[in-house]
Amino acid sequence: MINEDLENTYTIGLDFGTLSVRAAVVRVSDGAVLADAVREYRTPIMDRTLAVGDGRALPPDFALQVPADYLTAMCEAVPEAILRANIKKDQIVGIGLDCTSASVLLTDSTGTPMCEYPEFINEPQAYLKLWKHHGAQDQADRIVALAKERGESWLARYGGILSSEMLLPKALEAFENAPALYSATAEIVDLVDWLTWELTGTLAYAAGDSGYKRMYQDGHYPDPEFLEGLAPGFGSVFSEKMSHPIVPLGSRVGGLIEVYAEVFGIPAGTAVAAGNIDAHVQCASVDAVRPGQMTGIMGTSTCWILPSAEPIEVPGVFGLVDGGVVDGSWAYEAGQSAVGDIFAWFVDHCVPASYFAEAEERGVSIHRVLGAKAAREEVGEHGMVALDWWNGNRSTLVDSRLSGLLVGQTLTSTPEQQYRAHLESTAFGARVIIENFEEYGVPVDELRIAGGLIKDAFLMQMYADILRRPLRTAKTLQAGAHGSAIFAAVAAGVYEDVPTAASHMGGVSETAYKPNEEQSLKYDKLYEQYKYLYDLFGRGNRVMHTLKEIRSQALVRR
């Protein structure tokens, strides 16, 4: 250890979410969060029009952001968190960060985003493509088709299919739709690596993100011949625009450069850890980095992360990567593209004003009102079942063209009944993912949950009942920033590896949710109907795909 006085040694964790960044100051001896601060990004997500330049309309399924907003928010949040922590700034020994998965941007050789060049300010492809940018679905389909035709071995590591959220489809999308931009681009980087590049002046690729999102497997990327088969001229994308070293999670990318040291008010040279994926880093926060310990990170979407002692091919997973959570072991990623987003959509569009008035009168959130009303009913009393595909299906179908469905509504259906059906649908989707792992011989021995939705006790108990498993929840709502601070402690040399650091700094709360057999039996009947609809609309016909095509054509004609 670099410092015997661990009670007075701290790291900073930065959690770059979809809408804001959170900075947390964490004590390395026990993982206590002393203080945190949040800053929202200045520009809203651009999913209909560009919020800059000429404000042009965007195609369907786009989700873009202004990358400079991340730096501005970070430079405001970090000093505030340190001030609130009331510690000596030289007691901070490391910085770690995580970001939304597969958020991709194009830059010049110095790291300046291409959208900051005047000639590309109106080019949508020049902006940061958020994780939920699904504009590259056609490219993803072609990548998978060619990989199957050629028998590419790496495809099995992604469940035999590839999401449009990945880096390679997004890069191909830029190559084909904005050739001048692509030609002028020096680097195609994931957000996690761009930020550590900014902080240290060193561009290195984190192993976890490289495996899950950049398709780096067994020491190499997809070969140039394959890439050239996708599009002539694309074969050199990795050698020309993604050719920097790959470093293990928990390693030190470099020291904090002077310009950021001055802004943060901490010593230059402070260790900066390799960047992490926002979901994966939370495994360390709940101390679930060993084989069989599954972590569900539940927020706007949900990621399910599962370390494994060996690589077993599982169809429909989002990725299987060596060193994907901690160096030295394998880890799977699966997920659901919308969870909290579904609940928020329902509240925004389907709840009458009287419910909001009740929430205001009681001084609680509208979700609390809906949940309390829904909890009074018996399982199945609403007579409905929903599919949780309101932003596509990430696992096990890996298809962004799928869409949401609610069956069983009548003229007597109430808002709370519909709300409950949506809650249940997300738990049913999680059960499909877990059962898929077990069907292919990957054990799920333990379940731990992190993310903002752990605050909802009704939802957590519902998950325990539907999944038929006990679950424990994170001890902090800031599990992303907290987990990043754990990796920072390893990068700073305080602990020798991530499992050791997680055992000292991570953990779960005292609250445990145990399945109720009587409730589980009732949910089993609804789950049977969910599975029927899952296979019918996910595998049996193309009605959802066709509706998306009709929508796209209508928007073009508008």
Side-chain angles (χ1 to χ4, degrees):
M1 296 184 182
I2 64 170
N3 190 335
E4 294 182 0
D5 186 15
L6 298 185
E7 290 291 332
N8 295 304
T9 303
Y10 308 93
T11 55
I12 295 173
L14 289 166
D15 176 31
F16 291 89
T18 303
L19 302 176
S20 62
V21 61
R22 180 182 300 275
V25 178
V26 179
R27 188 165 54 216
V28 300
S29 61
D30 59 1
V33 178
L34 268 68
D36 68 337
V38 178
R39 282 292 185 277
E40 292 187 356
Y41 309 134
R42 201 171 280 172
T43 312
I45 294 173
M46 298 179 288
D47 55 6
R48 295 182 182 271
T49 61
L50 281 181
V52 291
D54 60 7
R56 66 183 55 188
L58 297 173
D61 302 319
F62 268 48
L64 309 176
Q65 288 184 312
V66 176
D69 289 352
Y70 283 73
L71 302 181
T72 301
M74 173 182 67
C75 289
E76 294 173 352
V78 172
E80 181 177 340
I82 295 173
L83 181 64
R84 290 180 178 178
N86 193 29
I87 60 172
K88 296 179 181 178
K89 295 173 181 178
D90 61 1
Q91 294 174 322
I92 296 171
V93 297
I95 300 172
L97 63 87
D98 65 87
C99 303
T100 57
S101 173
S103 294
V104 178
L105 68 156
L106 281 60
T107 77
D108 65 11
S109 60
T110 69
T112 300
M114 299 305 292
C115 61
E116 296 182 11
Y117 280 78
E119 60 266 39
F120 298 122
I121 192 172
N122 294 316
E123 172 51 67
Q125 298 290 331
Y127 289 85
L128 186 147
K129 295 177 181 178
L130 194 58
W131 62 272
K132 60 181 178 179
H133 173 89
H134 291 152
Q137 184 62 55
D138 176 66
Q139 286 78 11
D141 291 343
R142 287 163 41 215
I143 291 170
V144 171
L146 183 61
K148 288 181 177 178
E149 178 184 322
R150 289 170 48 93
E152 297 286 341
S153 60
W154 49 261
L155 186 61
R157 298 279 175 83
Y158 303 95
I161 197 164
L162 206 67
S163 169
S164 62
E165 296 176 12
M166 308 281 263
L167 184 145
L168 189 60
K170 288 174 176 173
L172 181 57
E173 180 191 21
F175 174 82
E176 295 181 328
N177 295 327
L181 167 69
Y182 182 88
S183 178
T185 294
E187 305 288 347
I188 301 176
V189 292
D190 195 284
L191 180 60
V192 297
D193 300 323
W194 180 66
L195 287 167
T196 56
W197 183 13
E198 277 285 322
L199 292 173
T200 66
T202 299
L203 177 54
Y205 306 139
D209 174 74
S210 296
Y212 288 112
K213 311 305 173 184
R214 207 194 319 269
M215 299 161 65
Y216 184 82
Q217 296 283 355
D218 300 325
H220 56 81
Y221 298 109
D223 65 64
E225 183 182 349
F226 167 80
L227 298 168
E228 197 68 20
L230 289 171
F234 192 61
S236 59
V237 62
F238 286 109
S239 61
E240 290 184 357
K241 302 182 190 296
M242 289 181 275
S243 60
H244 295 271
I246 294 172
V247 297
L249 296 178
S251 64
R252 182 182 185 273
V253 171
L256 187 67
I257 61 174
E258 188 66 41
V259 62
Y260 286 107
E262 290 181 7
V263 172
F264 296 167
I266 64 177
T270 298
V272 176
N276 218 315
I277 299 172
D278 58 345
H280 300 61
V281 75
Q282 298 189 44
C283 297
S285 179
V286 297
D287 190 20
V289 297
R290 297 160 190 82
Q293 293 181 307
M294 174 176 270
T295 302
I297 300 91
M298 297 181 59
T300 55
S301 63
T302 291
C303 283
W304 296 97
I305 312 300
L306 179 61
S308 177
E310 57 181 330
I312 299 173
E313 294 179 2
V314 179
V317 300
F318 206 61
L320 169 60
V321 173
D322 187 9
V325 169
V326 294
D327 192 35
S329 67
W330 294 83
Y332 297 88
E333 176 188 352
Q336 295 162 270
S337 296
V339 176
D341 270 352
I342 300 175
F343 313 152
W345 170 86
F346 182 80
V347 163
D348 290 342
H349 299 283
C350 305
V351 179
S354 60
Y355 283 65
F356 287 94
E358 180 180 344
E360 184 175 359
E361 182 180 341
R362 293 172 50 191
V364 298
S365 75
I366 185 65
H367 294 280
R368 181 71 61 84
V369 169
L370 286 165
K373 290 179 182 292
R376 298 186 192 120
E377 297 196 354
E378 291 292 325
V379 175
E381 185 177 339
H382 51 48
M384 290 179 278
V385 65
L387 291 175
D388 53 316
W389 302 344
W390 299 77
N391 194 30
N393 177 284
R394 186 180 293 165
S395 303
T396 60
L397 301 170
V398 197
D399 188 347
S400 67
R401 291 192 176 108
L402 295 175
S403 50
L405 181 71
L406 179 59
V407 175
Q409 296 178 93
T410 72
L411 293 176
T412 63
S413 297
T414 64
E416 58 266 27
Q417 289 176 331
Q418 296 171 72
Y419 182 75
R420 179 167 182 153
H422 287 306
L423 298 183
E424 291 167 351
S425 75
T426 66
F428 293 147
R431 181 165 168 175
V432 169
I433 290 169
I434 292 172
E435 290 180 351
N436 187 58
F437 277 121
E438 294 182 325
E439 180 182 349
Y440 287 91
V442 181
V444 179
D445 302 323
E446 189 178 344
L447 191 58
R448 300 188 176 192
I449 307 294
L453 294 182
I454 65 173
K455 294 180 292 185
D456 191 332
F458 174 57
L459 182 65
M460 293 297 98
Q461 185 59 53
M462 177 186 290
Y463 266 67
D465 293 338
I466 289 175
L467 300 178
R468 290 181 159 273
R469 296 167 185 273
L471 58 89
R472 301 288 298 274
T473 58
K475 64 182 181 180
T476 174
L477 289 173
Q478 293 83 45
H482 183 245
S484 288
I486 292 174
F487 280 86
V490 178
V494 177
Y495 295 104
E496 61 182 358
D497 55 37
V498 176
T500 303
S503 67
H504 284 85
M505 299 176 68
V508 290
S509 71
E510 295 298 319
T511 304
Y513 297 90
K514 298 180 180 179
N516 180 309
E517 179 63 18
E518 181 180 353
Q519 298 291 87
S520 295
L521 287 170
K522 296 174 183 177
Y523 279 125
D524 286 346
K525 294 179 181 179
L526 287 175
Y527 180 62
E528 288 178 11
Q529 303 309 307
Y530 174 91
K531 278 287 291 174
Y532 174 78
L533 294 173
Y534 190 99
D535 292 332
L536 176 64
F537 286 96
R539 311 179 200 274
N541 63 54
R542 289 181 52 82
V543 64
M544 292 181 176
H545 290 189
T546 302
L547 289 172
K548 280 272 180 107
E549 292 165 4
I550 292 171
R551 174 177 179 265
S552 296
Q553 293 166 6
L555 287 171
V556 170
R557 292 193 299 268
R558 186 174 177 178

